Amino acid sequence: MVKLRLKRCGRKQRAVYRIVAIDVRSRREGRDLQKVGFYDPIKNQTYLNVPAILYFLERGAQPTGTVYDILKKAEVFKELRPNETKLT
């Protein structure tokens, strides 16, 4: 199973995170399938590769709690909903 998870980068006391698609069994700093975004909690900046995120979500990837909140704030799920109604 694939999850959308935060991967810690940066230095001590100055963390930045990459949003990655990663296998559930991998550790936090393990090898990721694809980098799909970036999040800086100090500057409150976010960069999202929306097509890649939608690709993984449509195929059943589960975002973690924090990633879910980031995606919800960026309104990514509004783009996902119309695609789901076309499939059924």
Side-chain angles (χ1 to χ4, degrees), residues 4-7 9 16-21 34-40 45-50 52-53 67 70-71:
L4 296 177
R5 185 189 293 176
L6 292 176
K7 187 173 188 179
C9 302
V16 292
Y17 298 92
R18 285 189 179 140
I19 300 171
V20 296
Q34 184 176 357
K35 296 173 184 73
V36 295
F38 175 83
Y39 174 60
D40 186 352
Q45 293 179 336
T46 308
Y47 165 75
L48 299 173
N49 184 352
V50 177
I53 292 170
V67 174
I70 293 169
L71 298 179

Side-chain angles (χ1 to χ4, degrees), residues 7-62:
K7 187 173 188 179
R8 192 177 197 275
C9 302
R11 56 189 172 142
K12 203 167 25 169
Q13 302 295 320
R14 183 75 179 91
V16 292
Y17 298 92
R18 285 189 179 140
I19 300 171
V20 296
I22 194 167
D23 187 39
V24 173
R25 297 167 289 188
S26 297
R27 57 194 178 124
R28 183 185 72 183
E29 305 303 327
R31 185 172 179 184
D32 51 66
L33 301 172
Q34 184 176 357
K35 296 173 184 73
V36 295
F38 175 83
Y39 174 60
D40 186 352
I42 296 172
K43 294 181 181 178
N44 203 17
Q45 293 179 336
T46 308
Y47 165 75
L48 299 173
N49 184 352
V50 177
I53 292 170
L54 292 176
Y55 171 83
F56 283 107
L57 288 175
E58 287 170 354
R59 281 152 186 79
Q62 296 294 313

